[in-house]
Amino acid sequence: MTTGAVPGASSMRAGARLDLTRLLNPRAVAVVGASRDERRIGGQPLKILRETAYRGGVYPVNPGYPEIGGRPCFPDVIAVPRPCDVALVAVSAPRVPEIIEQCGAAGIPFAVVLSAGFREAGEAGAQLEARLKASAARSGVRVVGPNCIGLMNLADRVYLGFGAGFRNPRLKPGPVAFVSQSGGFAFSVVGLADFEGIGFNYIISAGNEADISTLDLVADFLERDDVEIVVTYLEGIADGTRLREIGVRALELGKPILIWKVGNSEVGRAAAESHTASMTAAYTLYRTAFEEGGFVEIADVHDMVDAARAFQGRRLPKGRNVAVITTSGGSGVLIADACDRHGLALPRLGSETVQAIAPVAPSHTSFANPLDLTAQITGDADSFNRITEHVLADPRVDQLVLRYGAVQGAIGESWAKRLAEIVRGSDKPVLVAWSRVPDRSEPSLQILERNRIPWLLTPTRAAFAAGALYAFARKRTALAERRARGGKRLVARQPLELPPGRSTLSEHESKACLASYGIAVTREVLLSPREVAALEQPPVALPLVVKIDSPDLPHKTEAHAVRLNVNGLAELKEQAAAALAAALAYRPQAHVNGVLVSEMARGVEVIIGAINDRYFGPVVMFGLGGVLTELAGDVAYRFAPFDVATAREMILELRASRLLTGYRGRPPVALEALAEMLSRVSLLAADHADRVAEIDVNPVFVDEARAVAADALIVLRD
Amino acid sequence: MTTGAVPGASSMRAGARLDLTRLLNPRAVAVVGASRDERRIGGQPLKILRETAYRGGVYPVNPGYPEIGGRPCFPDVIAVPRPCDVALVAVSAPRVPEIIEQCGAAGIPFAVVLSAGFREAGEAGAQLEARLKASAARSGVRVVGPNCIGLMNLADRVYLGFGAGFRNPRLKPGPVAFVSQSGGFAFSVVGLADFEGIGFNYIISAGNEADISTLDLVADFLERDDVEIVVTYLEGIADGTRLREIGVRALELGKPILIWKVGNSEVGRAAAESHTASMTAAYTLYRTAFEEGGFVEIADVHDMVDAARAFQGRRLPKGRNVAVITTSGGSGVLIADACDRHGLALPRLGSETVQAIAPVAPSHTSFANPLDLTAQITGDADSFNRITEHVLADPRVDQLVLRYGAVQGAIGESWAKRLAEIVRGSDKPVLVAWSRVPDRSEPSLQILERNRIPWLLTPTRAAFAAGALYAFARKRTALAERRARGGKRLVARQPLELPPGRSTLSEHESKACLASYGIAVTREVLLSPREVAALEQPPVALPLVVKIDSPDLPHKTEAHAVRLNVNGLAELKEQAAAALAAALAYRPQAHVNGVLVSEMARGVEVIIGAINDRYFGPVVMFGLGGVLTELAGDVAYRFAPFDVATAREMILELRASRLLTGYRGRPPVALEALAEMLSRVSLLAADHADRVAEIDVNPVFVDEARAVAADALIVLRD
């Protein structure tokens, strides 16, 4: 990437990386459970290895045969004469753990287990898979699968697997790696992408991931020099934190991960769970990880093709501004709409640019963006290119999308040649909306491909590709900025009173935890009923709030244990007694700490929440109070911990943030105080993730002067 | 369509239809402005007509030549010996009006004007276009263009036009017609769609639409027997009402209009306006028309291809329920997610179905939906088909999406043959997610195509196609239901007091109009300041509201002319005086009708609005009060007038409608009263569309008992 690496230390420990070189390019392969029947899972790999002219050694293993197809066959892997890097295992499921142990004894570092009948097949299979795992751990053999269909290394022509996908001799290599949780589906996707011109160096089916996970594979591919783009089809992963680390690493390396995440709807999630028994965290958490890291979310083959082509251009835009040049007004309108949908902007061209291009442009050109040069210029590639060069040089322009009407024949060839020179003279992405039936023998298309100028089939797809480049660039910048800020904490780790065995804290206890982290809470006192009765004046300013403080009443309002707007001493005493009675009526066994008498805070109501997801760890949620958050889903998420600048971003991400920044003449609220509170909550959630399961600060009141937590609930786990 | 026509009278007057048969299949063509230079606009058509072996007469017209390419050339159209059906006009713009008049004299009914230099070229061009229009009207010649690139009738091989699009000899005919506001772009789209297997019988570029409009063309194509699907690329149209009529007609005929509407974003709209000076109503209004009529919105070529293929199956589902059958769990998950996005549901299979398929299904099948039969069944087309037949017969299933793993070769062929029989035995749509590189020589693919079984390239696209069929079917049903209800009005047309010359009504006047239509308004009295001073008791129940009533204060709150929560007689008098002083300070020249003393209504706050769009006519908007409507864009629209059932639909369409139907234990509001109010507002807006420009009923309060308009503003136009 011309943009260079993101500064700052790598987030990945170098030693932790699993190097898959010997798996992907083995010197020799043992096929365990080899069969003479070439239709069987044990027979197909031998046939495929032969037909693809695999250059390493091939050793069939099956005690039942002396030879298969002229090759000597061995009774077990230990008998194989020379060291193999991979055992391809196709024996029946119950025999797999033992085979893995034998591989260990034979010094084979990797096994690819094609056999099915494990976790996907019910309880007995799951037990077998646990045994397989244990065998792998004991023997040191690293296992792909079970229940996978294998892998392909197209650069070195290594085909290890079975099924229709391995019978496609026309697949091209290319700087893309594909890791899939669904083997059969992956190969159909690869076939279609290949048809659209995208080559893959590696394709691998992760199967049940008993040992090597999808994320292990993605992480390794990211580090390989012959991989520029990783594609992954995911139903669910167990290690959200790892997913996040890999996303950051992708940004550091400038290599995108095109992520096709499925199982996101209720019905899709159920299907995913029954398909591969995948771990299915809420889609929101995946989206939060995708938005933070170097991921590009895709939903179909053409998204993959378009994003892959865009990133193969190896350029990223510096900002959101796109210039569009066309020879068809209609497609200009279309690209403008699509750019808008993808978060891109179309700035006006600079006056220097307009002056420079005016002498070359057709008469009646209106020098807008999109710049419609009309069919009048179609025959004049030279003028089109001169204009392109000026527009590309415009400092307001971060990337360029163009659609030229004469990409074919001699004019097309001269257009593409000169365009390639222009592109070489710039570091901005230039995307071509090809807009014709693609003919790979077309010289202009070949020139574009040779020069890594991304071409996209249609204007709509070109705008999607430009949007994907911009989003990736934006996230790289955000990462660099986060690192430059140094992740300064507002407060050091604080010890908290989190009693063992307890599952909830009372409001007062919860607020004490918040206060330890410097979070402003309402002024309040906790009094015994006797102390309340003895009060001679209200302990805080009127009007005040009376609540019953108890860890056993997490839903105080429901228990009628909250009395707002209490306006005098007599009312205070009366309401305290009534609230206590109501609370005990609601939950007679409740342990009551006392009566909490608080100031009544005012301002705009917001909500801060944190959950500690079993896969992703602590994540903080921010929304406005009231129905907007719940009904309109207007909520922002960030993984904890995060700094104040990130919190500010989070606040401004809400559609409703205008309510906070001076809506309809209201004064703007103390955004900075609110952002600090969010960051402090994130620190608390992260520091105490071992005990804190949930934090609910609801409501928080923000006014012009401050943000203050008016209620809080901390839920614990053991 | 197997679903039959929607009952009820046609919305189109038969006599009003412009029959384009002679335009599309002319017996002879005059090429006016014919040139010997085959690269010129006047030369290209002759070359194209020759190369495409047009079977009718061709008469070049140009006073400068005695013959062109061996054909006699005529000095003008009047000299042409036999009657032509079409004149293809390629003379310079200023000469076009005169040529049209000559066509009229020569009895030529249609002219296709390729010449540019009209409205798109600025003020002088616009004047020329007005002259062209006048010539057309005077002569009776119907004109396509100017500034268009022509038309193609592929069924009869009539190519009338110029440019690269006409040099594509491989385009196939098919039951699709394409009408485009962008000529160049249309032909690139058609080329790509053709490459994906979609054939077009007609393609036409509408140009500047000086006479025959895009909608005229769409309307004619809908009525043609050789057109099953109309595609249109639109930047904007002048006649929104006509668009709506055509949408209804499409539902009646069971023929979808695939609509590619661009110019929807701010930047796209500006580009469209500069491109073809198109009429650009707000996208919201287009969306409202699309949602009501037989439109399928598309945003790229593959959407067009998928929808065209789906509708070529000539079946519509009876409801939203889809069954999915796959041989790859991964694609099942994916289809489930995508179906969810498109408003489809995946019901459980019936127990009879499960019982019927259990003996045939592979072991370990979990009989869910999506039904994953796994790769185990791939080789067994017979079992796959037997299961397909049972699932298709399940009464809970409205349509079926399937992905079979062995569509190629002999197994694929036997699968497709039997599938075709199964599909013939049912009236439900069956869509195939092909999922391989499509090879048109594949027998199975040919069988699917011959039997009009829609195949879609990927699972994602199959779900989109199923969603498009369902949405169309749903709108047909809604139309039939609306007609069955008979559009009964709650109230007859009422005369209103709408003083000539006035641009706004005061609140009291506006409410009087509402009340004439039976809309409940707050109990209130309009008093003079003197009458207020003389009051001996509050004229309505306390607390009450005091407002200054004036047509010159449409924004009363801003003028401090509204006082809420007035709690007694003295306060009433005081506030009335203060409000009056504030109003006159704000706008000293305001004509004040008096002081409006109203009850203070309570309940959930909602907003009803109506605008009278210059292109679409009156449309009613409904939203909840407060920030949700504005910030979250949670608003429903319907064209006026509409009945109570439609109003009910509109209310329930809001994400926030839960607030009205019993949210978090609140009592549900009087929905019926609210729906009636919406319908009544729509009647008022429609009946008085000649004067009423806007209606703003804001807020309306709805509680358990009633809906009442607490404020209203009617804006008039001359």
Side-chain angles (χ1 to χ4, degrees), chain A residues 233 263 265 330 337 458 630 664, chain B residues 233 263 265 300 330 337 630 664:
Chain A
Y233 173 92
S265 62
D337 273 0
T458 68
E630 185 171 344
R664 290 189 172 173
Chain B
Y233 173 92
S265 63
D300 204 352
D337 272 0
E630 186 172 343
R664 290 189 172 171

Side-chain angles (χ1 to χ4, degrees), chain B residues 233-302:
Chain B
Y233 173 92
L234 271 193
E235 297 186 359
I237 46 116
D239 191 348
T241 307
R242 182 91 190 282
L243 181 76
R244 294 182 55 208
E245 282 170 9
I246 289 173
V248 167
R249 184 66 183 146
L251 291 178
E252 287 175 354
L253 292 167
K255 297 181 181 180
I257 300 168
L258 314 187
I259 197 150
W260 193 339
K261 171 70 179 72
V262 299
N264 307 323
S265 63
E266 208 171 306
V267 61
R269 195 166 161 172
E273 280 168 359
S274 85
H275 176 222
T276 43
S278 280
M279 271 50 67
T280 50
Y283 184 43
T284 301
L285 297 178
Y286 283 98
R287 292 294 294 268
T288 304
F290 299 162
E291 180 49 39
E292 170 192 72
F295 300 98
V296 176
E297 220 180 339
I298 58 174
D300 204 352
V301 179
H302 62 80

Side-chain angles (χ1 to χ4, degrees), chain A residues 523-525 537-545 597-600:
Chain A
R523 278 182 290 274
E524 60 196 24
V525 288
Q537 58 182 24
V540 300
L542 294 176
L544 52 77
V545 184
V597 181
S598 315
E599 66 168 321
M600 180 119 175

